[in-house]
Amino acid sequence: MMKTLCGINRRLGIGLLLLCAISVVSGRAQSLSPEALQHPRLLMTKSDEAIIRTAVARSRQWAVVDSLLMKGAADILPLPAAERVVIGRRLLDVSRETLRRIFLLGYAYRMTGESRYALRAEKELTAVADFTDWNPSHFLDVAEMTTAVAIGYDWFHSVLPDEVKTRLKTAIWEKGLLPSFEERYNNWLHRVNNWNQVCNTGMAYGAIATYEDRPSLADSVIKRSVESVKKPMKAYAPDGAYPEGYSYWGFGTTYNVMLIDALEKSFGTDFGLSAQEGFLDTPAFILHMVAPDKDSFNYGDNKDSGRLSPAMFWFANRKKDTSLLWNERILFKEGNKKKLIDYRFFTLSILWGAAVDFENLPKPADYMWVSPNSPTPVALMRTSWERKKGLFLAFKGGSAQTSHAHLDVGSFVMVADGERWAMDFGRQDYHSLESKGIDLWNKAQDSQRWKVFRYNNSAHNTLTFDGRLQDVKGYASIDTHGSKPGFSFAVSDITPVYVGQIGKARRGVALVKEKYVVVRDELVGGEKETTVRWSMLTPATVERKDSRTMLLTIGDKRMEMRVESPVSIELKTWSTAPTTDYDAENPGTTLVGFEARIPARSRCVLQVKLIPSKGGPATDEIGELDTWNNP
């Protein structure tokens, strides 16, 4: 790359430099946004300020958001500046808190013009700029810190002293961009998960914010980001499911949208990123992943709590479909307001959503969403979009080789009457395991990862044969699915994760007559007799009702777990208390289910009905899995 981009001398100015950058990145010239000629140019331009002010003046909901953001900024004013505190491998908490503070202080300054916010931001920015480094050995830390400093440099550019601007630019280059070219730090360029999206965006933000000062460096960073980020974006194909799940979607996809937003505002194009297959379909995945209890289907390393996703406002605008915000409105209205303020991306909700009527939203039209062949296939079905009403059933296939995956193929969660009867633990805090010497990121069959209680199949709502682990190399798609009056279902052949343990294993889950759930397993024994364990994790109190029925209780609500199978079974519960010094406590939870013997090479059907107290007698005959797709 030439020292002066496209042979243009810097004296010609940023406008021509940026225009040439477009030619290098895309191979053709594009029209340049006039606002890209000046600061601020990242996320919130001068024209965006006017849109936000209008929204706050006209909309009660946006006025509430504005007041929360202003409160968040005011609360930061007396706090000490960030310090370089590394916990285990990570400076990440500091980087994220810095980003949160800069977003809030920047918003408050730009809405009010009050210098106290700018002075406090300057204090924060100079403190982190003076860190010895931003912990490049764990490059997520660098990416989020670079994003924070880039936004701060850009948004406060007009009021920062020249000496401070020089310090910030130097820190962005020396602690952010330049380390990203060192092979020992940049393996994220080849990853296909959230690391790639976050790190490429952070580097692009640093490059765009300081473009006019080091255009050759900036151009190489931007070009690299555009090409590299396409690798994880392929995972959205074909239908928008995000392999790493709900929480990591909120991380990786938010940064991906931030990248697209910055490119469009600076260059008038995103160089084809939003056109990547499945990307504009992904908001439907998040819409359907949130259950009527406000929590998500938290498979793998995900947290269960649903949380307002600012990127959904960007998608709603882009797709002109405000029904995508149905859950976001609920999560905002009923969510813990302090947690919203503490969420570093919360400011983005008004930046991307101010033009949306957040108070009058149409109800989503679909009650079922399925991604049958993605890296992590899921089926998501419900009977109602109303809060705490109806049934919700989520089911997954997939593979343990997916980023942040557990041994949970065939697992499901169930919500009824506003309660989560079948749940998933999600992840255990990474540092709590790494600090005990657990090699958490090795996914080999005999790795320590699968010795962690929460991570293996015995702690999930799936099958275990003879106490063995699922095969980490196996993959299960959702083979058939459908929705017809009174019967929504999904079926998966999960045999590949039980190679050598069972001859055949197919699992189907269904919502029946909008009243109860059925889980049906059709098994064929292997070369020798096998003991199968059917388990379901629940927060309910459990008691035996009869030899084939367990009664589950949460508060004043009840649900029956009824086993309908011709084979002999033994109802059981299993403790979730830790048995090692590294496993987390799991208070208030129980594993409930049963065991059965499967003779060698014999066919066995295990069928369980999960019947809420309002579910009626549930006497329907449930046919073979092969008949479920019949009209």
Side-chain angles (χ1 to χ4, degrees), residues 31-263:
S31 60
L32 188 67
S33 153
E35 290 181 317
L37 299 174
Q38 59 189 356
H39 295 281
R41 60 178 76 127
L42 292 171
L43 289 170
M44 182 165 57
T45 63
K46 288 290 186 181
S47 60
D48 292 325
E49 290 180 17
I51 295 171
I52 293 169
R53 287 192 175 91
T54 299
V56 170
R58 292 180 177 177
S59 165
R60 182 175 58 84
Q61 295 288 3
W62 288 123
V64 173
V65 172
D66 174 75
S67 67
L68 289 172
L69 294 172
M70 296 302 298
K71 181 183 185 307
D75 288 345
I76 292 168
L77 293 175
L79 298 178
E83 296 182 0
R84 191 182 183 281
V85 178
V86 178
I87 300 176
R89 302 168 54 205
R90 300 170 180 84
L91 184 69
L92 195 54
D93 286 349
V94 178
S95 297
R96 290 175 170 176
E97 174 62 8
T98 301
L99 179 58
R100 184 188 78 92
R101 292 181 179 186
I102 295 304
F103 264 138
L104 289 170
L105 293 167
Y107 177 84
Y109 173 70
R110 295 184 64 178
M111 290 296 103
T112 68
E114 294 183 20
S115 61
R116 56 180 179 151
Y117 298 115
L119 291 171
R120 179 61 186 81
E122 180 183 331
K123 179 180 178 181
E124 193 76 17
L125 291 166
T126 54
V128 300
D130 289 343
F131 286 0
T132 53
D133 61 42
W134 292 340
N135 199 38
S137 62
H138 191 261
F139 211 83
L140 282 182
D141 311 5
V142 177
E144 296 223 50
M145 189 68 84
T146 304
T147 304
V149 178
I151 291 171
Y153 175 82
D154 181 53
W155 285 13
F156 294 101
H157 190 272
S158 64
V159 293
L160 289 172
D162 288 342
E163 180 271 333
V164 171
K165 283 189 280 193
T166 297
R167 287 167 69 185
L168 299 186
K169 286 186 293 187
T170 302
I172 289 172
W173 298 329
E174 294 183 354
K175 293 164 186 170
L177 305 190
L178 294 178
S180 77
F181 288 92
E182 297 187 46
E183 288 188 7
R184 57 180 170 160
Y185 300 139
N186 68 8
N187 68 350
W188 46 266
L189 285 168
H190 311 290
R191 292 193 184 189
V192 294
N193 64 1
N194 68 83
W195 274 67
N196 184 305
Q197 295 167 297
V198 175
C199 294
N200 273 309
T201 300
M203 297 305 97
Y205 267 55
I208 292 171
T210 63
Y211 195 97
E212 56 267 47
D213 293 282
R214 298 189 68 174
S216 295
L217 172 62
D219 177 65
S220 62
V221 169
I222 295 164
K223 180 178 180 180
R224 182 186 65 180
S225 292
V226 168
E227 292 307 313
S228 176
V229 80
K230 293 175 183 176
K231 296 175 182 178
M233 291 186 76
K234 289 179 180 178
Y236 292 102
D239 41 41
Y242 191 73
E244 297 179 273
Y246 182 85
S247 302
Y248 287 93
W249 185 98
F251 187 30
T253 304
T254 299
Y255 264 100
N256 212 140
V257 171
M258 287 172 65
L259 175 60
I260 290 170
D261 185 281
L263 293 172

Side-chain angles (χ1 to χ4, degrees), residues 334-609:
E334 300 186 22
N336 182 301
K337 297 303 186 282
K338 184 181 185 306
K339 288 184 177 180
L340 283 174
I341 295 172
D342 288 346
Y343 186 36
R344 67 194 182 285
F345 296 136
F346 181 47
T347 307
L348 291 170
S349 61
I350 200 166
L351 304 191
W352 287 333
V356 173
D357 181 355
F358 197 23
E359 298 182 45
N360 301 293
L361 302 177
K363 186 181 297 186
D366 297 325
Y367 289 76
M368 184 171 183
W369 192 89
V370 182
S371 175
N373 299 301
S374 61
T376 305
V378 292
L380 311 164
M381 56 196 95
R382 70 186 68 220
T383 63
S384 173
W385 281 104
E386 299 301 325
R387 178 84 167 88
K388 295 186 177 181
K389 292 185 179 179
L391 296 172
F392 174 85
L393 177 63
F395 176 58
K396 75 176 294 292
S399 167
Q401 295 306 303
T402 304
S403 179
H404 291 289
H406 290 184
L407 298 180
D408 61 357
V409 172
S411 193
F412 64 94
V413 299
M414 175 195 176
V415 176
D417 300 325
E419 303 292 347
R420 186 158 296 216
W421 300 94
M423 61 173 285
D424 193 306
F425 280 128
R427 77 179 188 193
Q428 181 173 335
D429 176 73
Y430 299 150
H431 180 64
S432 72
L433 294 165
E434 292 169 341
S435 64
K436 296 291 179 64
I438 300 298
D439 183 6
L440 190 55
W441 307 109
N442 182 343
K443 293 186 175 182
Q445 189 70 47
D446 60 352
S447 71
Q448 288 181 303
R449 180 178 179 86
W450 312 126
K451 292 179 173 62
V452 177
F453 177 66
R454 291 188 180 187
Y455 285 58
N456 62 58
N457 41 291
S458 65
H460 288 90
N461 306 333
T462 190
L463 303 175
T464 302
F465 296 96
D466 291 332
R468 298 170 65 182
L469 299 175
Q470 290 185 343
D471 190 324
V472 301
K473 295 181 180 179
Y475 168 85
S477 62
I478 292 177
D479 305 306
T480 58
H481 60 90
S483 183
K484 47 193 173 183
F487 198 76
S488 300
F489 70 93
V491 177
S492 176
D493 183 346
I494 57 177
T495 310
V497 299
Y498 297 111
V499 173
Q501 301 180 37
I502 194 75
K504 186 79 170 177
R506 295 176 71 208
R507 167 165 279 196
V509 300
L511 290 178
V512 183
K513 293 185 175 179
E514 300 189 348
K515 291 183 176 181
Y516 65 93
V517 166
V518 65
V519 180
R520 182 180 176 93
D521 296 295
E522 295 180 358
L523 311 173
V524 176
E527 295 301 311
K528 60 181 181 179
E529 186 179 65
T530 304
T531 297
V532 59
R533 171 176 137 164
W534 189 106
S535 60
M536 184 180 86
L537 179 66
T538 183
T541 300
V542 180
E543 60 180 299
R544 186 190 300 261
K545 185 175 180 180
D546 57 45
S547 62
R548 288 182 174 263
T549 308
M550 289 287 205
L551 180 63
L552 281 62
T553 304
I554 300 177
D556 61 353
K557 297 173 184 176
R558 306 284 186 273
M559 186 181 80
E560 284 189 2
M561 187 195 85
R562 184 188 304 165
V563 184
E564 298 178 348
S565 176
V567 300
S568 175
I569 66 155
E570 181 182 359
L571 291 175
K572 285 192 170 186
T573 60
W574 298 269
S575 173
T576 60
T579 58
T580 70
D581 66 347
Y582 55 79
D583 280 313
E585 299 285 343
N586 302 302
T589 60
T590 303
L591 281 159
V592 61
F594 59 90
E595 289 183 344
R597 301 289 292 173
I598 305 174
R601 294 180 293 280
S602 69
R603 186 174 185 275
C604 174
V605 175
L606 307 175
Q607 182 167 289
V608 178
K609 288 179 178 176

Side-chain angles (χ1 to χ4, degrees), residues 18-30 208 219 222-223 225-227 229-230 233 259-260 262-264 266-276:
L18 288 175
L19 187 58
C20 286
I22 294 167
S23 300
V24 173
V25 174
S26 67
R28 66 187 191 281
Q30 304 286 341
I208 292 171
D219 177 65
I222 295 164
K223 180 178 180 180
S225 292
V226 168
E227 292 307 313
V229 80
K230 293 175 183 176
M233 291 186 76
L259 175 60
I260 290 170
L263 293 172
E264 289 180 336
S266 295
F267 305 129
T269 176
D270 69 358
F271 306 107
L273 293 185
S274 62
Q276 297 295 301

